[in-house]
Amino acid sequence: MNVFDWLSHMGIPEVDNFDIVEVKFKGGRKEYYRNVDFLSLTTGDPVVVDVPSGHHIGYVSLQGELVRLQMQKRKIRNDDEILRIYRVANQKDMEKWGEAQNREIPTLYRCRQIVEELGLKMKMSDIEYQADNSKATFYYSADDRVDFRELIKVLAGEFRIRVEMRQISLRQEAGRLGGIGVCGRELCCSTWLVDFKNVSTSAARYQNLSLNPGKLSGQCGRLKCCLNYELDTYMDAIKDIPSIDRPLQTESGPAKLQKTDIFRKLMWFSYNNDNDWHSITCERVKEIQAINEKGKKVFTLQYNEASEIEDLAAKSTRELELLDKKFASSSPKRKKKPRPQNRNSGGNRNQQASNKPDSKPNKPERQQNTPQSANQGPRPVGDQPKKRRNNKNRNKPKNPEANSGQTASPQSQQPKAQNASPKRQNVQKPKGNDGNAANINSGGAKPKPQGKKKFPPRKNQGPNPTKPENE
């Protein structure tokens, strides 16, 4: 409730200084008193002022030329009815006032009990004791007129004090009690708002607010005072918004108004109460209304005729074609780089293709010719055989009897179990001269006696030395 004195730093002569001071009391109540003795006062000083039938203590809230402006705003006359300031409150005055303030809450509770006993339809909100402890003011709120003559007699006889009853509105009650609003700040009525203007629901309609009483009402139970703050701005902006008395007539159906953005000058319509809303400007709405007054309908809310949509589609198609031509001419074609050929592998591939027989040899024959290829010397780099994984199914011959132009060797006539991969068989070669090796390669090796099948040992292991070979 304090007002900033923006004239305090200006060089105003002290002779012409305004002698009336604004004093604040409990609950934000402010009154004006004359500084007859020209006391040097500052904002916040406790002063003893003259009141009817006694004295009271308040705090200085404003002084100087701003007090004159406040009095003109509240329409208070500068006449002899303005009371005076006695002195600056001392320690004894403050102690006596503290004792009177301690009686306020117990008196309030007892007063509410008496009101319930008498059956009066009124609500006691606050009590203010005078600093000299000779008078108490009871603030109450009621919807109808209340006969409280019997209540005054009971209160005066019980508390031994002069009683004054003062009726206040619900907004003034909220200002005296104080609180925090939904905006997160202290209530306007308890900080700076003095004049309470009437607030109606039309202010919420002009601002396109939902008419929800829980959101529009404040702590006092009435409509929020802040609904009037921006009402003038909305009233000026509404002048350019056309009034919609009936739906707009289009070939797609009647378009009804759903929403209006006052400051952006946009209006949303829907066809046949659909969920799809279409926004158009206020100028377009006025144009459609003028066409409907002539008894004609527009094609859609955006276009008057169907030809306009076709022209727009053709225009967009032309723009896309121009963009395609632009980017096609600007971007050069990329030449494909030739892949590097492996010279060594290329020649070897041709040689392998020429030396490749018509029919694929069997895998066991390739493995039998490995010792013969070892005698021919080292192979070139490109002719190195590829490493293959030891797969059980890959080493099994599909057709062991098919040989292209070669006689069947005794090894090929052995059962399938003996034609297993030599990689898995660690058979000890017979020690002898080179001629023995040649005889083996030429197929002159003696066949082993056919008895029980001999399974190959595990990988990287030799034959079991404990068991004889004939088992």
Side-chain angles (χ1 to χ4, degrees), residues 15-153:
V15 178
D16 298 335
N17 192 12
F18 197 58
D19 60 345
I20 297 179
V21 180
E22 185 183 65
V23 181
K24 182 177 67 175
F25 299 96
K26 180 183 177 181
R29 181 173 60 91
K30 294 181 180 180
E31 293 184 5
Y32 299 92
Y33 295 90
R34 194 182 302 277
N35 188 7
V36 180
D37 299 332
F38 298 101
L39 302 173
S40 60
L41 303 174
T42 57
T43 303
D45 289 344
V47 292
V48 180
V49 297
D50 184 15
V51 293
S53 65
H55 64 273
H56 198 24
I57 295 177
Y59 294 94
V60 177
S61 60
L62 192 65
Q63 57 182 345
E65 292 297 325
L66 287 180
V67 180
R68 190 196 303 273
L69 299 177
Q70 291 290 335
M71 293 178 66
Q72 293 177 0
K73 181 180 178 181
R74 297 188 179 186
K75 298 180 181 181
I76 299 176
R77 296 180 181 180
N78 185 7
D79 52 10
D80 296 337
E81 294 183 359
I82 297 177
L83 302 178
R84 54 173 293 185
I85 297 176
Y86 286 137
R87 60 183 182 275
V88 178
N90 52 25
Q91 186 65 25
K92 186 176 181 180
D93 296 332
M94 298 299 294
E95 291 178 356
K96 190 175 182 180
W97 185 37
E99 293 177 358
Q101 287 179 338
N102 294 333
R103 297 180 58 187
E104 292 178 355
I105 295 178
T107 305
L108 178 62
Y109 291 157
R110 177 56 183 161
C111 182
R112 289 178 178 175
Q113 292 178 359
I114 297 173
V115 169
E116 292 179 359
E117 293 175 359
L118 296 177
L120 300 177
K121 295 181 180 179
M122 57 188 299
K123 178 183 177 183
M124 302 299 300
S125 59
D126 194 13
I127 295 176
E128 182 181 0
Y129 269 85
Q130 203 165 292
D132 56 359
N133 205 2
S134 62
K135 178 184 175 182
T137 304
F138 293 80
Y139 296 93
Y140 72 96
S141 59
D143 296 334
D144 300 328
R145 187 172 181 177
V146 181
D147 186 8
F148 47 78
R149 290 178 291 181
E150 185 66 23
L151 177 63
I152 292 176
K153 295 179 181 179

Side-chain angles (χ1 to χ4, degrees), residues 224-292:
K224 295 178 181 178
C225 300
C226 55
L227 293 175
N228 287 336
Y229 296 166
E230 300 178 356
L231 182 59
D232 296 338
T233 306
Y234 276 89
M235 295 300 293
D236 294 337
I238 285 174
K239 295 178 180 178
D240 299 332
I241 304 297
S243 60
I244 307 298
D245 299 333
R246 56 184 179 179
L248 302 180
Q249 301 299 324
T250 63
E251 294 182 3
S252 301
K256 295 184 179 180
L257 178 64
Q258 300 294 340
K259 180 183 175 183
T260 303
D261 193 337
I262 298 175
F263 295 105
R264 294 173 60 189
K265 305 296 177 60
L266 293 176
M267 303 179 75
W268 279 266
F269 291 85
S270 65
Y271 297 109
N272 299 322
N273 294 326
D274 293 339
N275 294 329
D276 295 336
W277 293 3
H278 306 275
S279 62
I280 56 177
T281 59
C282 296
E283 290 77 7
R284 176 62 181 168
V285 174
K286 294 178 181 179
E287 182 180 354
I288 294 174
Q289 286 180 342
I291 296 174
N292 291 338

Side-chain angles (χ1 to χ4, degrees), residues 443-455:
K446 295 181 180 181
K448 293 181 181 181
Q450 296 182 358
K452 292 184 179 180
K453 295 182 181 180
K454 184 178 179 180
F455 293 93

